[in-house]
């Protein structure tokens, strides 16, 4: 069975700082990878996804993530965070062709103006 | 507006009572899911359904039951057998297999508190 680890549980940054949130997964086969975001009081929504091709994927609001197969990692990055990026971020994985999506424990990001 | 509607948003129940959480979608999605969200534990899969009249257990199905009699509806019953039912419950849907089409669409959630 697949699993997802997010090692940063709570991150506090000042505006304009750079962001990198770690995500590692365990699964031996081909996977699809996702980052979801939950803004305060809002429903979970997709930030970006990787299926195949270029391992550097770009998402909404200036976020990007890099898939490193050898490290089983899919870290999320943003060069300069804004106060509006304050949210909880979830990494998720699903084996190719399967239905079950497994989520990590989430990282709460707090951006201080 | 297309989307997923969960009701009720907040629910209080006494121990020993079964409760049913509603989830309706008008996205014409085949697949539907129920997740439980607890602080520090992320989202954990309770049940999922790929098509009508078919559903599979997720990672934490004990104490829960579901039905999928209609494509647009996937209600979740939290039974008295669930040892720690107080949580935030999220319903989601996807167009096909999440591992093929990718994106899950989520409802706004139902917060259940058992007193």
């Amino acid at each position: 069975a697949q699993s997802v680890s997010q090692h940063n549980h709570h991150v506090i940054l000042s505006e304009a700082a750079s962001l990198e949130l770690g995500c590692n997964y365990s699964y031996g086969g081909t996977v699809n990878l996702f980052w979801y975001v939950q803004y305060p009081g809002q429903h979970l929504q997709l930030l970006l996804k990787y299926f195949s091709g270029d391992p550097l994927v770009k998402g909404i609001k200036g976020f990007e993530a890099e898939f490193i197969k050898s490290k089983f990692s899919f870290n999320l990055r943003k060069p300069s965070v804004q106060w509006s990026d304050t949210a909880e971020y979830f990494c998720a994985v699903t084996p190719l062709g399967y239905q079950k999506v497994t989520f990590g424990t989430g990282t709460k990001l707090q951006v201080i103006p | 507006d297309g989307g997923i509607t969960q009701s009720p948003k907040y629910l209080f129940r006494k121990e020993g009572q079964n409760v049913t959480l509603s989830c309706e979608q008008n996205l014409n999605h085949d697949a539907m899911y129920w997740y439980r969200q607890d602080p520090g534990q992320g989202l954990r899969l309770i049940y999922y359904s790929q098509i009508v009249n078919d559903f599979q257990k997720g990672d934490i199905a004990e104490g829960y039951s579901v039905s999928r009699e209609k494509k647009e509806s996937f209600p979740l019953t939290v039974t008295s057998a669930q040892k720690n039912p107080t949580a935030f419950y999220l319903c989601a849907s996807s167009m096909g297999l999440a591992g093929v089409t990718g994106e899950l669409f989520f409802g706004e959630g139902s917060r259940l508190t058992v007193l």
Side-chain angles (χ1 to χ4, degrees):
Chain A
Q2 67 269 27
S3 66
V4 180
S5 296
Q6 291 182 247
H7 305 294
N8 314 106
H9 298 296
H10 197 178
V11 173
I12 303 173
L13 294 173
S14 298
E15 272 193 320
S18 64
L19 170 72
E20 180 158 4
L21 300 182
C23 172
N24 288 91
Y25 68 93
S26 66
Y27 185 75
T30 303
V31 294
N32 295 329
L33 296 154
F34 311 86
W35 276 98
Y36 283 83
V37 61
Q38 190 173 34
Y39 296 104
Q42 296 186 28
H43 60 270
L44 268 162
Q45 57 188 285
L46 183 70
L47 200 54
L48 49 78
K49 63 184 178 186
Y50 172 80
F51 274 22
S52 63
D54 188 344
L56 185 64
V57 292
K58 296 194 184 298
I60 60 173
K61 303 188 181 185
F63 285 91
E64 65 180 30
E66 184 176 13
F67 171 52
I68 303 179
K69 191 174 181 180
S70 60
K71 295 185 178 180
F72 297 90
S73 70
F74 190 54
N75 292 353
L76 181 70
R77 299 195 292 244
K78 186 171 184 179
S80 175
V81 294
Q82 302 172 312
W83 176 79
S84 58
D85 293 324
T86 294
E88 191 160 15
Y89 294 81
F90 294 91
C91 183
V93 63
T94 185
L96 183 65
Y98 283 77
Q99 186 174 6
K100 186 177 170 184
V101 181
T102 300
F103 284 79
T105 53
T107 298
K108 282 190 177 172
L109 171 65
Q110 186 179 354
V111 180
I112 302 168
Chain B
D1 272 335
I4 298 177
T5 302
Q6 290 187 240
S7 63
K9 213 168 183 175
Y10 299 95
L11 185 59
F12 295 87
R13 278 293 181 267
K14 292 183 180 177
E15 256 189 55
Q17 289 182 328
N18 290 357
V19 298
T20 297
L21 307 179
S22 169
C23 177
E24 304 276 331
Q25 54 102 355
N26 60 4
L27 299 167
N28 200 31
H29 285 173
D30 291 312
M32 296 187 75
Y33 309 74
W34 274 104
Y35 284 89
R36 170 180 170 141
Q37 185 177 10
D38 296 283
Q41 297 195 56
L43 279 71
R44 292 179 291 166
L45 183 62
I46 304 172
Y47 269 97
Y48 59 104
S49 167
Q50 188 175 336
I51 55 172
V52 173
N53 292 323
D54 184 58
F55 47 83
Q56 286 79 43
K57 292 182 179 179
D59 298 317
I60 56 164
E62 187 176 344
Y64 298 98
S65 66
V66 292
S67 62
R68 187 86 188 276
E69 295 175 4
K70 298 186 294 183
K71 186 176 182 178
E72 58 270 22
S73 178
F74 191 41
L76 173 74
T77 297
V78 184
T79 75
S80 55
Q82 167 50 232
K83 293 191 185 347
N84 186 18
T86 294
F88 189 55
Y89 291 89
L90 285 167
C91 180
S93 71
S94 63
M95 193 176 301
L97 291 176
V100 175
T101 62
E103 184 172 359
L104 292 180
F105 292 81
F106 285 88
E108 294 193 345
S110 292
R111 187 168 297 279
L112 171 64
T113 304
V114 175
L115 305 170

